[in-house]
């Protein structure tokens, strides 16, 4: 689920909501009535089981997660789906590697100003972990602006910079602009994310990257950040991170610039003056971390609703991750991060989609795969593993409908398609929405940079499978759009990835039932449409689709 706790766009707080109605072409077979409507009571039952303290927030590799996986498998069996996992089971084993750094692990910065020891938690937080991220001897630091290379904006912080084997220091955020044509103006782009900066630094041969605060970004709540980073760091056991990547606390960041041509204050002034430049630093860094590490198997849960037509060996894949953060730092004495909206309710909804579609009088034309990935919170790991080890051919998977979070505050009159602008799935959504008397709206100005990138749909799109995530819009019953926006932002600030995303929050399962009806209809529409979804011309994902097809994956 994607929320940026800082909520509103860069420094504008403007509220924009545009409504677009799209009319679909080539309407598919309409869904027959009956076949069992979505049941709000079933949604409650599933949500209350998966969101209960008894499953302890479903962190991968814990008894709670195993209990949740068994529950999901039991429900899939009960509604008559076919197991698709290993050896006819409902589970696909996912090999994971976990690392937990020792509290206070030192990161040493050495310069002509002397040596300063930064302490884990106090002065910095680790994005990556494990012995392979160690840097036993001093490695030079280089300052690389925002650490961005964006050819489409003719922007390159690495111009003329050699960072091979060094550690780059980069600012949070991205160039400040009001022009929507440049870095999307007030909206943050994916370039502002830590993940994108890490990937760019590594692609340039750097040994690691250190993120320091920007003068133009609101200060981050370090206590909140520390909590976010307090969980075991997971990676797929066969692709461990090989680089040090950390976030440096504002108070500790100045040490990195000691003895350099410009200090951090001067860099911040350059930011304000739009004269930012990259330059070598006079300091080096070494990292001798201590980690508790483990290898273990977690499980994806997978099932099939077979199709009945000549299209049955093509697949619509519905996904909903069932993992969440587990047990972590206490907040008001509560240590269980239940993840009720993220994503117990999404799993509940997907189980209901499976039940109502399996109960329809006739099977769908295409087959429908139901995938409940593990370890989404740790980087879409369950989906990435599934795509590396697909249980049905990826090149015959015509669409992914991902479910991450569902409406739970009020019934609504509009929906939002995250990714709808990328493929004809947007048209299919408009057709289904119109049939249910709903409008299709633009993504509200709340989501973090590129919300499409932050849940399992992104993994499927990456290999060329047209993918979509559908959220409710802001036209809620008994609310003005502004009131809806405020409640949404409040949820992001007070419950997202916190123990308070639990069963004590108000849950309107009538809103959830409405959302799931839209999704069930959407999946059915795609599964019965003789025309498979297509990427819009010029989309990079279309090339990925050709590659996947060529690889016969
Ligand atoms: Zn989520």
């Amino acid at each position: 689920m994607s929320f940026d706790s800082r909520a509103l766009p860069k420094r504008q707080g403007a509220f924009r909501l545009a409504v677009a109605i799209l009319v679909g072409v080539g309407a598919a077979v309409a869904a027959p009535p009956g076949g069992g409507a979505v049941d709000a009571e079933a949604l409650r039952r599933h949500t209350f089981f998966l969101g209960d303290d008894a499953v302890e927030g479903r962190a991968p590799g814990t008894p709670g997660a195993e209990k949740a996986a068994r529950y999901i498998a039991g429900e899939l069996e009960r509604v008559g789906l076919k197991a698709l996992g290993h050896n006819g089971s409902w589970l696909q084993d996912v090999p994971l590697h976990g690392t937990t750094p020792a509290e206070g692990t030192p990161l040493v910065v050495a310069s002509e100003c002397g040596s300063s020891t930064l302490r884990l938690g106090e002065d910095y937080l680790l994005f990556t972990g494990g012995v392979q991220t160690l840097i036993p001897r001093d490695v030079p630091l280089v300052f690389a602006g925002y650490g961005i290379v964006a050819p489409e904006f003719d922007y390159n912080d690495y111009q003329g910079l050699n960072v091979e084997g060094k550690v780059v220091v980069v600012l949070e955020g991205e160039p400040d602009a009001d022009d929507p044509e440049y870095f999307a103006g007030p909206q943050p782009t994916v370039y502002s994310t830590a993940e994108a900066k890490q990937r760019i630094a590594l692609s340039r041969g750097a040994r690691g990257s250190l993120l320091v605060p920007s003068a133009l970004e609101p200060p981050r709540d370090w206590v909140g950040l520390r909590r976010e980073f307090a969980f075991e760091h997971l990676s797929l056991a066969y692709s461990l991170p090989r680089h040090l990547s950390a976030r440096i606390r504002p108070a500790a960041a100045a040490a990195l610039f000691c003895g350099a041509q410009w200090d951090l204050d001067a860099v911040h002034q350059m930011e304000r003056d739009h004269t930012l430049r990259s330059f070598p630093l006079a300091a080096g860094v070494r990292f001798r971390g201590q980690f508790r590490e483990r290898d273990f198997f977690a499980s994806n849960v997978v099932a099939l609703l077979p199709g009945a037509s000549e299209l049955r060996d093509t697949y619509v894949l519905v996904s909903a991750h069932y993992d969440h953060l587990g047990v972590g730092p206490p907040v008001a004495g509560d240590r269980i991060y239940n993840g009720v909206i993220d994503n117990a309710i999404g799993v509940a909804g997907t189980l209901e989609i499976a039940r109502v579609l399996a109960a329809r009088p006739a099977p769908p034309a295409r087959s429908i795969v139901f995938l409940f990935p593990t370890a989404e919170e740790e980087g879409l790991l369950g989906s990435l593993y599934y795509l590396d080890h697909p249980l049905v051919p990826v090149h015959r998977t015509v669409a992914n409908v991902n479910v991450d979070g569902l409406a739970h505050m009020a019934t609504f009159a509009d929906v939002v398609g995250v990714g709808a602008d990328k493929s004809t799935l947007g048209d299919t959504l408009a057709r289904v929405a119109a049939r249910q008397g709903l409008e299709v709206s633009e993504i509200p100005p709340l989501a973090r940079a590129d919300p499409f990138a932050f849940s399992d749909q992104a993994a499927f799109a990456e290999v060329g499978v047209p993918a979509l995530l559908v959220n409710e819009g802001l036209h809620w019953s008994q609310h003005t759009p502004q009131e809806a926006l405020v409640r949404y932002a409040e949820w992001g600030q007070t419950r997202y990835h916190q123990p308070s995303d639990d069963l004590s929050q108000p849950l309107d399962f009538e809103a959830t039932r409405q959302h799931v009806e839209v999704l069930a209809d959407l999946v059915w529409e795609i599964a019965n449409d003789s025309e498979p979804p297509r990427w819009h011309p010029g989309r990079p994902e279309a090339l990925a689709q050709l590659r996947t097809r060529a690889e016969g994956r």
Side-chain angles (χ1 to χ4, degrees), residues 138-466:
D138 286 356
V139 162
L141 292 173
V142 184
F143 175 66
Y146 293 110
I148 294 174
V149 177
E152 69 272 38
F153 304 126
D154 190 24
Y155 185 91
N156 183 355
D157 278 317
Y158 285 83
Q159 190 80 43
L161 207 60
N162 172 5
V163 302
E164 191 73 37
K166 302 171 183 164
V167 169
V168 295
V169 174
V170 297
L171 290 165
E172 276 204 284
E174 61 190 10
D176 179 32
D178 294 325
D179 169 4
E181 297 307 310
Y182 191 67
F183 283 97
Q187 283 304 328
T189 74
V190 71
Y191 289 112
S192 67
T193 63
E195 294 80 4
K197 295 168 193 273
Q198 287 158 18
R199 258 202 310 274
I200 293 171
L202 295 181
S203 71
R204 306 265 152 172
R207 279 285 295 281
S209 57
L210 304 178
L211 195 62
V212 297
S214 153
L216 305 179
E217 296 281 319
R220 305 293 301 259
D221 156 30
W222 193 259
V223 174
L225 278 174
R226 207 172 163 174
R227 206 175 38 239
E228 263 179 60
F229 282 74
F231 298 91
E232 181 181 31
H233 181 266
L234 297 179
S235 41
L236 288 172
Y238 54 84
S239 73
L240 304 183
R242 298 192 172 287
H243 60 285
L244 165 70
S245 194
R247 175 191 294 276
I248 307 295
R249 190 174 192 168
L256 305 173
F257 293 80
C258 218
Q261 196 170 358
W262 293 279
D263 65 15
L264 187 55
D265 289 342
V267 163
H268 283 161
Q269 193 52 48
M270 288 181 197
E271 262 198 289
R272 294 185 201 96
D273 304 340
H274 298 123
T275 59
L276 197 59
R277 51 184 304 164
S278 302
F279 55 94
L281 295 172
V285 68
R286 65 180 177 273
F287 178 60
R288 296 197 184 117
Q290 293 105 29
F291 293 93
R292 207 175 55 243
E293 309 204 35
R294 65 170 179 146
D295 287 300
F296 64 98
F297 281 100
S299 307
N300 287 338
V301 186
V302 206
L304 182 74
L305 176 58
S309 81
E310 72 285 355
L311 294 173
R312 66 179 163 280
D313 61 353
T314 64
Y315 306 87
V316 179
L317 190 142
V318 186
S319 54
H321 76 91
Y322 74 95
D323 65 296
H324 197 60
L325 303 175
V327 176
V331 177
D334 182 355
R335 302 184 60 231
I336 299 180
Y337 291 66
N338 301 76
V340 163
I341 303 305
D342 188 9
N343 188 30
I345 205 168
V347 172
T350 306
L351 287 172
E352 266 298 277
I353 294 170
R355 183 186 67 78
V356 297
L357 298 189
R360 296 239 159 129
R366 301 179 191 279
S367 299
I368 305 174
V369 174
F370 291 88
L371 171 69
F372 300 84
T374 185
E376 182 271 354
E377 301 292 358
E378 282 290 325
L380 318 182
L381 302 179
S383 289
L384 293 174
Y385 182 81
Y386 172 86
L387 289 164
D388 286 347
H389 307 83
L391 298 167
V392 300
V394 177
H395 69 276
R396 301 187 73 78
T397 302
V398 299
N400 165 235
V401 174
N402 186 41
V403 184
D404 197 351
L406 286 172
H408 63 281
M409 295 190 209
T411 55
F412 48 88
D414 61 333
V415 290
V416 165
V418 178
D421 57 329
K422 300 175 190 292
S423 76
T424 59
L425 283 173
D427 308 339
T428 313
L429 175 62
R431 228 172 26 244
V432 167
R435 203 161 50 222
Q436 301 207 3
L438 299 169
E439 317 251 346
V440 177
S441 306
E442 280 199 13
I443 296 176
L446 254 185
R448 67 192 307 176
D450 191 8
F452 187 83
F454 290 93
S455 187
D456 294 303
Q457 68 273 352
F460 285 89
E462 183 97 11
V463 296
V465 177

